[in-house]
Amino acid sequence: LAPASSVAPPSKLGRPLVGTMSRKPVTTGVWFRKCLRLHDNLPLVAACKDSDCVVPFFILDPHFDRSRVGVQRYAFLLESLRDLDNTLSEKYNSRLLVLQGDPEKLLRQIFSGKGKLQFDNLFFEFDSEPYAVQRDMRIQGLADSHGVTCKSF
Protein backbone atom coordinates (compact mmCIF):
# COMPACT_ATOMS: atom_id res chain seq x y z
CA LEU A 1 0.00 0.00 0.00
CA ALA A 2 1.27 3.46 -0.85
CA PRO A 3 1.99 5.97 1.91
CA ALA A 4 -1.14 7.60 3.26
CA SER A 5 -0.23 11.00 1.84
CA SER A 6 -0.19 9.72 -1.75
CA VAL A 7 -3.59 8.06 -1.64
CA ALA A 8 -6.20 9.83 0.40
CA PRO A 9 -5.54 12.17 3.28
CA PRO A 10 -7.62 11.06 6.27
CA SER A 11 -9.23 14.50 6.50
CA LYS A 12 -10.87 13.98 3.11
CA LEU A 13 -12.32 10.51 3.58
CA GLY A 14 -15.73 10.80 5.15
CA ARG A 15 -15.64 14.28 6.63
CA PRO A 16 -15.09 17.88 5.51
CA LEU A 17 -11.84 19.75 5.91
CA VAL A 18 -11.52 22.64 8.32
CA GLY A 19 -11.63 25.97 6.51
CA THR A 20 -14.47 25.25 4.10
CA MET A 21 -16.99 27.33 6.01
CA SER A 22 -16.93 30.23 3.51
CA ARG A 23 -18.34 28.01 0.76
CA LYS A 24 -20.36 24.84 0.50
CA PRO A 25 -18.02 21.86 0.94
CA VAL A 26 -17.77 19.66 -2.14
CA THR A 27 -18.66 16.02 -1.47
CA THR A 28 -17.61 13.31 -3.89
CA GLY A 29 -18.86 9.76 -3.80
CA VAL A 30 -16.26 7.25 -4.97
CA TRP A 31 -18.09 4.19 -6.23
CA PHE A 32 -15.89 1.13 -5.76
CA ARG A 33 -16.82 -1.57 -8.25
CA LYS A 34 -14.21 -4.00 -9.59
CA CYS A 35 -11.07 -2.31 -8.32
CA LEU A 36 -11.19 -2.70 -4.55
CA ARG A 37 -7.65 -1.41 -4.03
CA LEU A 38 -6.57 1.93 -2.63
CA HIS A 39 -2.97 2.29 -3.81
CA ASP A 40 -3.78 2.77 -7.51
CA ASN A 41 -7.43 3.82 -7.49
CA LEU A 42 -7.65 6.77 -9.90
CA PRO A 43 -11.21 7.83 -8.96
CA LEU A 44 -10.22 7.95 -5.28
CA VAL A 45 -7.05 9.95 -5.94
CA ALA A 46 -8.97 12.44 -8.12
CA ALA A 47 -11.73 12.78 -5.54
CA CYS A 48 -9.22 13.54 -2.80
CA LYS A 49 -7.64 16.25 -4.96
CA ASP A 50 -10.95 17.84 -6.06
CA SER A 51 -13.15 17.51 -2.98
CA ASP A 52 -13.52 18.55 0.61
CA CYS A 53 -15.21 15.30 1.63
CA VAL A 54 -14.90 11.87 0.01
CA VAL A 55 -17.43 9.10 0.60
CA PRO A 56 -16.17 5.66 -0.48
CA PHE A 57 -19.02 3.26 -1.22
CA PHE A 58 -19.88 -0.05 -2.86
CA ILE A 59 -23.26 -1.22 -4.16
CA LEU A 60 -24.27 -4.86 -3.86
CA ASP A 61 -26.10 -4.93 -7.19
CA PRO A 62 -28.81 -7.61 -7.43
CA HIS A 63 -27.69 -8.17 -11.05
CA PHE A 64 -24.61 -9.87 -9.56
CA ASP A 65 -26.24 -11.88 -6.79
CA ARG A 66 -24.98 -15.24 -5.52
CA SER A 67 -27.00 -17.19 -8.08
CA ARG A 68 -25.16 -15.48 -10.97
CA VAL A 69 -21.61 -15.30 -9.71
CA GLY A 70 -21.24 -18.44 -7.61
CA VAL A 71 -20.80 -18.95 -3.90
CA GLN A 72 -16.99 -18.81 -3.81
CA ARG A 73 -16.75 -15.65 -5.91
CA TYR A 74 -19.43 -13.94 -3.81
CA ALA A 75 -17.62 -14.96 -0.59
CA PHE A 76 -14.38 -13.55 -2.03
CA LEU A 77 -16.18 -10.28 -2.83
CA LEU A 78 -17.48 -9.98 0.73
CA GLU A 79 -14.02 -10.75 2.13
CA SER A 80 -12.49 -8.10 -0.15
CA LEU A 81 -15.07 -5.54 0.96
CA ARG A 82 -14.27 -6.27 4.62
CA ASP A 83 -10.57 -5.87 3.89
CA LEU A 84 -11.15 -2.55 2.09
CA ASP A 85 -13.31 -1.29 4.96
CA ASN A 86 -10.67 -2.34 7.52
CA THR A 87 -7.92 -0.56 5.58
CA LEU A 88 -10.01 2.61 5.28
CA SER A 89 -10.75 2.46 8.99
CA GLU A 90 -7.23 1.70 10.22
CA LYS A 91 -5.21 3.94 7.90
CA TYR A 92 -7.61 6.77 7.03
CA ASN A 93 -10.17 6.92 9.85
CA SER A 94 -12.95 6.32 7.32
CA ARG A 95 -15.36 3.53 6.45
CA LEU A 96 -16.68 1.88 3.31
CA LEU A 97 -20.39 2.47 2.93
CA VAL A 98 -22.00 -0.68 1.50
CA LEU A 99 -25.41 -0.23 -0.10
CA GLN A 100 -27.64 -2.99 -1.43
CA GLY A 101 -30.05 -2.61 -4.31
CA ASP A 102 -30.40 -1.35 -7.84
CA PRO A 103 -27.62 1.21 -8.47
CA GLU A 104 -29.90 3.50 -10.48
CA LYS A 105 -32.54 3.65 -7.76
CA LEU A 106 -29.99 4.15 -4.99
CA LEU A 107 -28.08 6.85 -6.85
CA ARG A 108 -31.30 8.62 -7.90
CA GLN A 109 -32.16 8.93 -4.21
CA ILE A 110 -28.68 10.25 -3.37
CA PHE A 111 -28.66 12.68 -6.30
CA SER A 112 -32.10 14.02 -5.39
CA GLY A 113 -30.71 15.35 -2.10
CA LYS A 114 -33.68 14.08 -0.10
CA GLY A 115 -31.71 11.77 2.20
CA LYS A 116 -28.78 12.21 4.55
CA LEU A 117 -26.28 11.22 1.85
CA GLN A 118 -25.73 13.77 -0.93
CA PHE A 119 -23.03 14.03 -3.60
CA ASP A 120 -21.83 16.94 -5.68
CA ASN A 121 -19.67 14.54 -7.71
CA LEU A 122 -19.65 10.83 -8.46
CA PHE A 123 -16.35 9.22 -9.51
CA PHE A 124 -15.88 5.58 -10.53
CA GLU A 125 -13.69 3.35 -12.68
CA PHE A 126 -14.67 2.61 -16.27
CA ASP A 127 -16.19 -0.83 -16.86
CA SER A 128 -16.41 -2.14 -20.44
CA GLU A 129 -18.88 -4.98 -19.81
CA PRO A 130 -22.13 -4.46 -21.76
CA TYR A 131 -24.31 -4.39 -18.62
CA ALA A 132 -22.00 -1.83 -17.02
CA VAL A 133 -21.79 0.40 -20.10
CA GLN A 134 -25.59 0.63 -20.30
CA ARG A 135 -25.97 1.14 -16.54
CA ASP A 136 -23.29 3.84 -16.49
CA MET A 137 -24.92 5.72 -19.38
CA ARG A 138 -28.21 5.80 -17.46
CA ILE A 139 -26.46 6.89 -14.26
CA GLN A 140 -24.62 9.64 -16.17
CA GLY A 141 -28.02 10.89 -17.36
CA LEU A 142 -29.39 10.79 -13.81
CA ALA A 143 -26.39 12.70 -12.50
CA ASP A 144 -26.69 15.32 -15.23
CA SER A 145 -30.38 15.81 -14.53
CA HIS A 146 -29.62 16.48 -10.84
CA GLY A 147 -26.58 18.71 -11.40
CA VAL A 148 -24.12 16.09 -10.14
CA THR A 149 -20.77 15.84 -11.92
CA CYS A 150 -20.12 12.26 -12.98
CA LYS A 151 -16.66 11.07 -14.09
CA SER A 152 -15.33 7.67 -14.99
CA PHE A 153 -11.59 6.91 -15.04
Side-chain angles (χ1 to χ4, degrees):
L1 205 62
S5 61
S6 68
V7 178
S11 58
K12 291 196 175 193
L13 286 170
R15 60 184 187 279
L17 292 172
V18 175
T20 59
M21 297 303 175
S22 61
R23 64 174 171 78
K24 179 184 177 280
V26 175
T27 300
T28 299
V30 176
W31 184 6
F32 282 83
R33 293 152 20 139
K34 288 184 174 184
C35 176
L36 300 180
R37 300 181 309 266
L38 294 176
H39 69 277
D40 61 351
N41 191 299
L42 295 178
L44 181 62
V45 170
C48 288
K49 288 180 182 176
D50 296 346
S51 310
D52 300 304
C53 184
V54 174
V55 179
F57 72 100
F58 184 90
I59 298 176
L60 290 169
D61 185 340
H63 183 78
F64 298 107
D65 68 7
R66 283 179 258 186
S67 68
R68 293 185 187 200
V69 297
V71 173
Q72 297 299 336
R73 187 170 177 191
Y74 198 77
F76 179 74
L77 169 65
L78 296 178
E79 181 182 323
S80 298
L81 291 173
R82 276 191 294 273
D83 184 55
L84 177 58
D85 181 52
N86 288 336
T87 302
L88 287 167
S89 178
E90 292 168 6
K91 295 190 178 217
Y92 303 104
N93 196 31
S94 184
R95 299 297 305 265
L96 179 68
L97 178 62
V98 178
L99 307 171
Q100 185 172 7
D102 179 87
E104 288 177 67
K105 290 179 183 175
L106 293 168
L107 291 169
R108 180 181 292 115
Q109 182 179 359
I110 292 169
F111 295 161
S112 73
K114 295 179 183 172
K116 292 181 180 181
L117 186 60
Q118 299 176 13
F119 298 154
D120 300 296
N121 305 310
L122 174 66
F123 293 176
F124 53 86
E125 75 221 56
F126 175 76
D127 188 341
S128 63
E129 291 186 25
Y131 167 79
V133 170
Q134 293 299 313
R135 176 200 59 210
D136 293 350
M137 285 179 18
R138 291 188 301 270
I139 288 172
Q140 177 71 53
L142 278 172
D144 290 346
S145 71
H146 287 92
V148 174
T149 301
C150 189
K151 293 183 187 177
S152 68
F153 295 79

